[in-house]
Amino acid sequence: MKNELKNQLRQQDATALAQGYSPAIRAMEIASIVSFIGLESALVWRLWGNAHTGPWLVLSALLLGYLAADFVSGLVHWMGDTWGATDMPVLGKAFIRPFREHHVDEKAITRHDFVETNGNNCLVSIPVAILAVALPHTSASWVFVSAFLGAMIFWVMATNQFHKWSHMDEPPALIGFMQRVHLILPPEHHRIHHTAPYNKYYCITVGWMNKPLAMIGFFPAMERLITWATGAIPRKDDIGTEAALELFEATAAAEPPVVQAAKELLEATTADEPKPVSPVRPS
């Protein structure tokens, strides 16, 4: 089924997609990076020296923010891969185009500079950064929420840089070590996503959330819900109508791995149960 589906993929031209990166988009990305750095600096200044800020609070906010960023990266990645089209006004060229380009030329990201790699993530993080700075820091709870939001968007900002390193043939030595111990996105883990038709392992900050989300069938369930509500076919613009329809039908019929495992366990338990023996009346 996978080979047949791969033969039906109808992806867009990599050169045309790359040319969609316009001077206007670059200017927007530069402004977003400057704004993001300014807001994160303001947040650090507000948290620094606050009576409610402590080392354990900061460490827990950083770790939970890392997990949250991994999930957010998967959600945004899934949306960019699955819905919309490159010819949509504003969103098409600025947000959807990079996802489509990455599937037809996955090494393109290694040729992007810092602005093109990280500008989009800074842009989408700005509203959360404003919220984190604006929150009152009058209690440990508020400080934690603010620190968590600031940590999450910091890791969201770093996500495309981690993603870029996972596609480099020879990343810096320290980065290679962090990949091997799975502190950032490892190339072999991310390679699962780059297997046609590109419908799994969307989380690209570190990838820790990929397996749990796959086990419960999170993204296929979201796709069925959106298709039921709107009639839109997932991945139609990315891989072509024929392949998208066949893939949607196949995933709709499949059960989440956790459900399959539960059924197998139930069947095995039932099979091992001793059958009741009919009582024999004495003669």
Side-chain angles (χ1 to χ4, degrees), residues 101-120:
E101 179 189 12
H102 188 54
H103 284 173
V104 295
D105 184 4
E106 63 182 75
K107 289 293 185 182
I109 193 173
T110 65
R111 301 188 293 273
H112 295 170
D113 63 8
F114 181 85
V115 172
E116 190 173 358
T117 300
N118 301 293
N120 270 351

Side-chain angles (χ1 to χ4, degrees), residues 275-283:
K275 294 181 180 179
V277 179
S278 301
V280 179
R281 297 179 61 184
S283 55

Side-chain angles (χ1 to χ4, degrees), residues 227-246:
T227 299
W228 172 80
T230 67
I233 303 299
R235 279 170 289 276
K236 180 179 176 181
D237 180 70
D238 188 31
I239 63 176
T241 304
E242 186 179 359
L245 280 170
E246 184 171 339

Side-chain angles (χ1 to χ4, degrees), residues 56-77:
W56 289 110
L57 184 148
V58 172
L59 285 173
S60 59
L62 284 170
L63 178 58
L64 290 175
Y66 202 36
L67 290 171
D70 199 36
F71 174 75
V72 169
S73 77
L75 189 64
V76 173
H77 188 180

Side-chain angles (χ1 to χ4, degrees), residues 4-50:
E4 292 176 2
L5 187 59
K6 190 172 182 179
N7 293 334
Q8 296 172 17
L9 298 186
R10 297 291 181 267
Q11 293 179 289
Q12 300 173 57
D13 180 67
T15 304
L17 288 169
Q19 290 172 350
Y21 185 64
S22 67
I25 292 174
R26 185 169 183 83
M28 178 188 69
E29 290 177 341
I30 292 172
S32 299
I33 292 171
V34 172
S35 300
F36 178 83
I37 293 173
L39 287 165
E40 285 284 79
S41 299
L43 178 60
V44 171
W45 180 80
R46 286 205 67 195
L47 292 173
W48 191 268
N50 187 293

Side-chain angles (χ1 to χ4, degrees), residues 26-198:
R26 185 169 183 83
M28 178 188 69
E29 290 177 341
I30 292 172
S32 299
I33 292 171
V34 172
S35 300
F36 178 83
I37 293 173
L39 287 165
E40 285 284 79
S41 299
L43 178 60
V44 171
W45 180 80
R46 286 205 67 195
L47 292 173
W48 191 268
N50 187 293
H52 302 292
T53 302
W56 289 110
L57 184 148
V58 172
L59 285 173
S60 59
L62 284 170
L63 178 58
L64 290 175
Y66 202 36
L67 290 171
D70 199 36
F71 174 75
V72 169
S73 77
L75 189 64
V76 173
H77 188 180
W78 165 75
M79 291 172 64
D81 277 6
T82 308
W83 307 105
T86 54
D87 57 2
M88 290 174 63
V90 183
L91 290 177
K93 285 188 177 181
F95 291 98
I96 297 173
R97 178 198 60 82
F99 290 101
R100 305 294 191 262
E101 179 189 12
H102 188 54
H103 284 173
V104 295
D105 184 4
E106 63 182 75
K107 289 293 185 182
I109 193 173
T110 65
R111 301 188 293 273
H112 295 170
D113 63 8
F114 181 85
V115 172
E116 190 173 358
T117 300
N118 301 293
N120 270 351
N121 283 12
C122 287
L123 177 61
V124 299
S125 298
I126 286 174
V128 180
I130 293 172
L131 175 61
V133 172
L135 285 174
H137 292 174
T138 54
S139 69
S141 298
W142 280 119
V143 168
F144 175 78
V145 171
S146 185
F148 165 76
L149 292 175
M152 180 183 71
I153 58 174
F154 174 80
W155 296 123
V156 166
M157 181 278 299
T159 291
N160 261 357
Q161 191 63 55
F162 295 165
H163 184 198
K164 175 180 177 177
W165 284 329
S166 76
H167 283 282
M168 292 177 66
D169 294 328
E170 295 182 4
L174 177 60
I175 300 306
F177 170 76
M178 294 176 71
Q179 289 172 338
R180 288 192 296 274
V181 296
H182 207 155
L183 288 178
I184 61 175
L185 185 67
E188 62 276 5
H189 179 92
H190 185 50
R191 200 170 293 121
I192 297 171
H193 174 73
H194 279 280
T195 302
Y198 321 106

